[in-house]
mmCIF file of all heavy atoms in Angstrom:
data_model
loop_
_atom_site.group_PDB
_atom_site.id
_atom_site.type_symbol
_atom_site.label_atom_id
_atom_site.label_comp_id
_atom_site.label_asym_id
_atom_site.label_seq_id
_atom_site.Cartn_x
_atom_site.Cartn_y
_atom_site.Cartn_z
ATOM 1 N N LEU A 49 6.332 24.855 -3.803
ATOM 2 C CA LEU A 49 5.468 24.377 -2.828
ATOM 3 C C LEU A 49 4.086 25.075 -2.945
ATOM 4 O O LEU A 49 3.061 24.416 -2.877
ATOM 5 C CB LEU A 49 6.017 24.803 -1.408
ATOM 6 C CG LEU A 49 5.387 24.013 -0.256
ATOM 7 C CD1 LEU A 49 5.777 22.536 -0.177
ATOM 8 C CD2 LEU A 49 5.819 24.751 1.100
ATOM 9 N N ARG A 50 4.154 26.424 -3.209
ATOM 10 C CA ARG A 50 2.915 27.132 -3.342
ATOM 11 C C ARG A 50 2.087 26.839 -4.685
ATOM 12 O O ARG A 50 1.011 27.140 -4.779
ATOM 13 C CB ARG A 50 3.254 28.664 -3.338
ATOM 14 C CG ARG A 50 3.526 29.110 -1.831
ATOM 15 C CD ARG A 50 4.232 30.424 -1.912
ATOM 16 N NE ARG A 50 4.683 30.782 -0.508
ATOM 17 C CZ ARG A 50 3.900 31.736 0.137
ATOM 18 N NH1 ARG A 50 2.897 32.276 -0.306
ATOM 19 N NH2 ARG A 50 4.312 31.974 1.370
ATOM 20 N N CYS A 51 2.869 26.209 -5.643
ATOM 21 C CA CYS A 51 2.043 25.717 -6.827
ATOM 22 C C CYS A 51 1.201 24.593 -6.468
ATOM 23 O O CYS A 51 0.225 24.310 -7.167
ATOM 24 C CB CYS A 51 3.058 25.248 -7.877
ATOM 25 S SG CYS A 51 3.944 26.580 -8.652
ATOM 26 N N LEU A 52 1.519 23.814 -5.326
ATOM 27 C CA LEU A 52 0.778 22.618 -5.060
ATOM 28 C C LEU A 52 -0.564 22.926 -4.414
ATOM 29 O O LEU A 52 -1.390 21.970 -4.259
ATOM 30 C CB LEU A 52 1.687 21.765 -4.191
ATOM 31 C CG LEU A 52 3.048 21.279 -4.846
ATOM 32 C CD1 LEU A 52 3.818 20.544 -3.788
ATOM 33 C CD2 LEU A 52 2.782 20.489 -6.152
ATOM 34 N N ASN A 53 -0.834 24.123 -3.890
ATOM 35 C CA ASN A 53 -2.224 24.384 -3.528
ATOM 36 C C ASN A 53 -2.689 25.742 -4.084
ATOM 37 O O ASN A 53 -3.618 26.356 -3.530
ATOM 38 C CB ASN A 53 -2.284 24.411 -1.938
ATOM 39 C CG ASN A 53 -1.589 25.570 -1.307
ATOM 40 O OD1 ASN A 53 -0.769 26.264 -1.992
ATOM 41 N ND2 ASN A 53 -1.883 25.957 -0.073
ATOM 42 N N ARG A 54 -2.003 26.131 -5.042
ATOM 43 C CA ARG A 54 -2.332 27.328 -5.894
ATOM 44 C C ARG A 54 -2.320 28.603 -5.073
ATOM 45 O O ARG A 54 -3.020 29.606 -5.383
ATOM 46 C CB ARG A 54 -3.722 27.132 -6.587
ATOM 47 C CG ARG A 54 -3.650 26.019 -7.652
ATOM 48 C CD ARG A 54 -4.849 25.839 -8.417
ATOM 49 N NE ARG A 54 -5.417 26.990 -9.048
ATOM 50 C CZ ARG A 54 -6.495 27.019 -9.772
ATOM 51 N NH1 ARG A 54 -7.104 25.864 -10.143
ATOM 52 N NH2 ARG A 54 -7.037 28.149 -10.214
ATOM 53 N N MET A 55 -1.425 28.644 -4.078
ATOM 54 C CA MET A 55 -1.305 29.899 -3.391
ATOM 55 C C MET A 55 -0.697 31.053 -4.302
ATOM 56 O O MET A 55 -0.933 32.257 -4.084
ATOM 57 C CB MET A 55 -0.338 29.719 -2.143
ATOM 58 C CG MET A 55 -0.901 29.082 -0.942
ATOM 59 S SD MET A 55 -2.274 29.996 -0.197
ATOM 60 C CE MET A 55 -1.333 31.170 0.687
ATOM 61 N N ASN A 56 0.027 30.630 -5.284
ATOM 62 C CA ASN A 56 0.564 31.624 -6.234
ATOM 63 C C ASN A 56 -0.443 32.296 -7.079
ATOM 64 O O ASN A 56 -0.183 33.324 -7.638
ATOM 65 C CB ASN A 56 1.671 30.937 -7.110
ATOM 66 C CG ASN A 56 2.862 30.467 -6.442
ATOM 67 O OD1 ASN A 56 3.375 31.137 -5.492
ATOM 68 N ND2 ASN A 56 3.418 29.353 -6.847
ATOM 69 N N ASP A 57 -1.695 31.701 -7.134
ATOM 70 C CA ASP A 57 -2.745 32.284 -7.931
ATOM 71 C C ASP A 57 -2.988 33.725 -7.384
ATOM 72 O O ASP A 57 -3.557 34.548 -8.165
ATOM 73 C CB ASP A 57 -4.057 31.567 -7.694
ATOM 74 C CG ASP A 57 -4.058 30.312 -8.474
ATOM 75 O OD1 ASP A 57 -2.995 29.738 -8.751
ATOM 76 O OD2 ASP A 57 -5.114 29.682 -8.789
ATOM 77 N N LEU A 58 -2.608 34.071 -6.134
ATOM 78 C CA LEU A 58 -2.946 35.314 -5.521
ATOM 79 C C LEU A 58 -1.978 36.415 -6.152
ATOM 80 O O LEU A 58 -2.214 37.630 -5.893
ATOM 81 C CB LEU A 58 -2.839 35.301 -4.049
ATOM 82 C CG LEU A 58 -3.603 34.134 -3.403
ATOM 83 C CD1 LEU A 58 -3.239 33.963 -1.942
ATOM 84 C CD2 LEU A 58 -5.158 34.455 -3.455
ATOM 85 N N ILE A 59 -0.908 36.014 -6.852
ATOM 86 C CA ILE A 59 0.004 36.987 -7.383
ATOM 87 C C ILE A 59 -0.382 37.360 -8.801
ATOM 88 O O ILE A 59 -0.561 36.448 -9.638
ATOM 89 C CB ILE A 59 1.524 36.415 -7.399
ATOM 90 C CG1 ILE A 59 1.877 35.911 -6.000
ATOM 91 C CG2 ILE A 59 2.501 37.352 -7.916
ATOM 92 C CD1 ILE A 59 3.002 34.975 -5.913
ATOM 93 N N PRO A 60 -0.388 38.659 -9.123
ATOM 94 C CA PRO A 60 -0.779 38.994 -10.570
ATOM 95 C C PRO A 60 0.295 38.574 -11.488
ATOM 96 O O PRO A 60 1.513 38.609 -11.183
ATOM 97 C CB PRO A 60 -1.006 40.476 -10.401
ATOM 98 C CG PRO A 60 -0.401 40.983 -9.247
ATOM 99 C CD PRO A 60 -0.238 39.813 -8.250
ATOM 100 N N GLY A 61 -0.078 38.233 -12.752
ATOM 101 C CA GLY A 61 0.902 38.118 -13.803
ATOM 102 C C GLY A 61 1.687 36.795 -13.736
ATOM 103 O O GLY A 61 2.785 36.676 -14.312
ATOM 104 N N ILE A 62 1.157 35.744 -13.099
ATOM 105 C CA ILE A 62 1.813 34.455 -13.050
ATOM 106 C C ILE A 62 1.323 33.494 -14.162
ATOM 107 O O ILE A 62 0.178 33.675 -14.588
ATOM 108 C CB ILE A 62 1.741 33.831 -11.665
ATOM 109 C CG1 ILE A 62 0.316 33.481 -11.353
ATOM 110 C CG2 ILE A 62 2.397 34.619 -10.609
ATOM 111 C CD1 ILE A 62 0.090 32.063 -10.922
#
Side-chain angles (χ1 to χ4, degrees):
L49 195 73
R50 287 160 180 262
C51 286
L52 300 176
N53 72 345
R54 292 184 51 176
M55 281 299 280
N56 291 324
D57 287 23
L58 306 167
I59 305 163
I62 62 130

